[in-house]
Amino acid sequence: MKYLVLLLIIATSHHGYTVEANSGASKKISAENSNDIFVCNTGDTVLKTYNGAIDAFNHLLPGQGVYLCRGGEFEVTRHARISRTSCEAEKVCTFGAYGEGPDPVVLGSGDMALTIQSEKGVTVKHLLIKDIVFMGEGYEAPNVTGISVSAKTHLEYIDFDNITIDGYHTGMIFRPASPTNHHVNMRNSKLLRNKGSGFLGGISDSILENNLFKNSGTGRSGHQIYVSGKGLKNFTVKGNTLDHNAPVGEVCNRGPLVAHGVIDGLLIENSHH
């Protein structure tokens, strides 16, 4: 009896990111022949999974991007972490969407959808994450965070634009507020049905702007937005809409927007309730 063995081998080289598919042929993503990597769970793209897309993102050259197909659904099968990049101010690396139709949906199944976490001695910087829906398990979701931006060393110039985080315990976490982390921003995004909090934490010189927080922070001591962090400086909360807030109980309990601790240079303006 003959058996057909299918192999998917992922490797890196100094030229870029190489994917060897089950056909035996290889497709190299490099500055020489392509700027971007396209991922779809249907069709003829070389990569078809969300975790494969994250693995590829960690090996991008400056200015490249990884894009999920619009209308596609992708399951989180293991912890997804962006921890190593070579991106630059003039060559930002993008994780986004391509094609026509609704934004791609990343389905969390009891695991965090995405962690951006610098490794020791590595600076993760100049990233743009946009046009993706991160979907959890709804109001009864376990104590799982949708997206966490955290650092052992350095994080800087990371932007989230037009993303949706729906149905986690906590939608988005920024931490810690150390001097080596700065300019991490979230704009034009939706944080929905995150029972614990919509947003938690803070990183210096950063902004939350023009986001919709709806039905988040409905659990005990939950908040739509909870800004905090030892040493946090110059944090802006601007033009956000807070809809379907939980009933406010005691001080700092279920308040829709809370800033906790000593924050130097905190600006909160034009928030709509």
Side-chain angles (χ1 to χ4, degrees), residues 144-167:
V144 175
T145 299
I147 298 178
S148 175
V149 183
S150 59
K152 296 179 180 178
T153 49
H154 293 74
L155 291 168
E156 57 187 62
Y157 300 103
I158 298 172
D159 286 286
F160 296 89
D161 191 5
N162 189 40
I163 65 169
T164 298
I165 307 176
D166 185 347

Side-chain angles (χ1 to χ4, degrees), residues 74-86:
F74 303 85
E75 185 177 354
V76 179
T77 57
R78 54 182 166 82
H79 189 78
R81 183 173 70 170
I82 294 173
S83 58
R84 182 176 293 273
T85 63
S86 301

Side-chain angles (χ1 to χ4, degrees), residues 185-228:
N185 309 307
M186 181 170 63
R187 296 182 171 93
N188 309 313
S189 297
K190 298 176 182 178
L191 291 94
L192 315 172
R193 302 187 306 154
N194 300 294
K195 186 175 181 179
S197 293
F199 172 86
L200 175 64
I203 287 177
S204 294
D205 299 305
S206 300
I207 186 169
L208 303 179
E209 185 175 20
N210 294 335
N211 303 293
L212 170 64
F213 294 83
K214 185 174 181 178
N215 282 327
S216 289
T218 57
R220 187 169 182 264
S221 300
H223 311 277
Q224 300 259 37
I225 299 175
Y226 188 93
V227 180
S228 66

Side-chain angles (χ1 to χ4, degrees), residues 38-230:
F38 299 97
V39 182
C40 198
N41 47 1
T42 61
D44 59 357
T45 58
V46 176
L47 288 177
K48 298 183 181 298
T49 68
Y50 174 69
N51 286 97
I54 297 299
D55 290 341
F57 196 92
N58 278 313
H59 297 91
L60 292 181
L61 298 176
Q64 292 182 332
V66 174
Y67 297 90
L68 306 179
C69 62
R70 294 187 182 275
E73 292 189 351
F74 303 85
E75 185 177 354
V76 179
T77 57
R78 54 182 166 82
H79 189 78
R81 183 173 70 170
I82 294 173
S83 58
R84 182 176 293 273
T85 63
S86 301
C87 312
E88 302 170 1
E90 301 301 322
K91 295 182 178 181
V92 173
C93 294
T94 302
F95 186 45
Y98 77 95
E100 298 181 355
D103 289 345
V105 177
V106 174
L107 299 170
S109 54
D111 201 351
M112 190 180 299
L114 179 63
T115 301
I116 300 179
Q117 183 180 64
S118 60
E119 297 178 348
K120 186 176 181 180
V122 175
T123 299
V124 176
K125 58 184 179 179
H126 301 301
L127 310 183
L128 173 61
I129 295 90
K130 60 182 296 188
D131 303 336
I132 298 174
V133 176
F134 297 92
M135 183 71 69
E137 298 181 1
Y139 281 122
E140 301 306 317
N143 190 12
V144 175
T145 299
I147 298 178
S148 175
V149 183
S150 59
K152 296 179 180 178
T153 49
H154 293 74
L155 291 168
E156 57 187 62
Y157 300 103
I158 298 172
D159 286 286
F160 296 89
D161 191 5
N162 189 40
I163 65 169
T164 298
I165 307 176
D166 185 347
Y168 286 89
H169 184 268
T170 303
M172 172 74 80
I173 291 178
F174 286 3
R175 64 184 180 194
S178 70
T180 59
N181 302 326
H182 55 89
H183 293 94
V184 180
N185 309 307
M186 181 170 63
R187 296 182 171 93
N188 309 313
S189 297
K190 298 176 182 178
L191 291 94
L192 315 172
R193 302 187 306 154
N194 300 294
K195 186 175 181 179
S197 293
F199 172 86
L200 175 64
I203 287 177
S204 294
D205 299 305
S206 300
I207 186 169
L208 303 179
E209 185 175 20
N210 294 335
N211 303 293
L212 170 64
F213 294 83
K214 185 174 181 178
N215 282 327
S216 289
T218 57
R220 187 169 182 264
S221 300
H223 311 277
Q224 300 259 37
I225 299 175
Y226 188 93
V227 180
S228 66
K230 185 178 180 180

